[in-house]
Each structure stands twice: as C-alpha cells, then as structure tokens.
Amino acid sequence: MKRFCGFITGVVFFLGGILKLMDPVGAGLVMKEYLDFLHIGFLSGIAKHLAEAFSLLETIIGITLITGVWRKTMAFAALGLQIFFTLLTLLLVIFNPEMD
C-alpha cells in the first residue's frame, strides 16, 4: 500500500512539474505574485528562475517516487513541499490579496 501511494504521489508531482516546465513564463508570474505576497519582492527579478527550479525539483521528486530511488528522502522532500505550499495557500485564502 505504501508503494502504491508513493507511486500515485510521484505521478502527481511528475505531471505537475512537467506542466509547469512547459509554461515557464506563467510559472514565473505566479512565483512573482507569491514573492510579493510574502514581502520579499526584491527577488522578483529571479522569479522565473525560482519557478523553473521549483518545477524541476517537483519533476525530479516525482520521478524518484515513481521509480523508488531514494524513497525515504524524496518522501520527506515531497512532504515538505506539500506542507509549505499548503500553508502558503491557506495564507492566501485567509488574507485574500488582490492578485492577477
């Protein structure tokens, strides 16, 4: 059962990362909005590169979860990303900033 859940999580991470990598400009705009919301807008110049790095990381985590390579390490990495972006989404819902 653990292997199946890891596989499904890996597929979701892989597909999400690949789709974001196919649209780096859109992912960069979303990352810029996140940076502005977190009051670290001075990093807006590298927002596109940060978005590409997160997308690549997401894709790599997905591949490793699907294949079972470094299973425990990548499971913790996936959990960390899920917790971080869940909290960020919760903050966005609570404070409801105007975003494009």
Side-chain angles (χ1 to χ4, degrees), residues 42-81:
F42 62 90
L43 294 175
S44 294
I46 61 168
K48 182 179 172 188
H49 300 293
L50 284 173
E52 290 172 352
F54 269 112
S55 300
L56 187 61
L57 177 67
E58 188 176 358
T59 304
I60 291 171
I61 290 173
I63 291 170
T64 57
L65 288 175
I66 290 170
T67 60
V69 177
W70 299 325
R71 187 178 301 159
K72 204 171 229 180
T73 305
M74 289 302 142
F76 282 117
L79 181 64
L81 280 177

Side-chain angles (χ1 to χ4, degrees), residues 13 20 34 37-38 54 58 77-95:
F13 267 71
K20 289 176 195 152
Y34 285 159
F37 174 73
L38 294 172
F54 269 112
E58 188 176 358
L79 181 64
L81 280 177
Q82 288 174 346
I83 289 171
F84 173 74
F85 282 105
T86 299
L87 291 175
L88 181 59
T89 303
L90 181 65
L91 287 173
L92 288 169
V93 167
I94 291 172
F95 293 109

Side-chain angles (χ1 to χ4, degrees), residues 6-29:
F7 179 80
I8 295 299
T9 304
V11 169
V12 170
F13 267 71
F14 176 74
L15 291 176
I18 288 294
L19 291 175
K20 289 176 195 152
L21 283 173
M22 290 190 326
D23 182 22
V25 175
L29 291 173

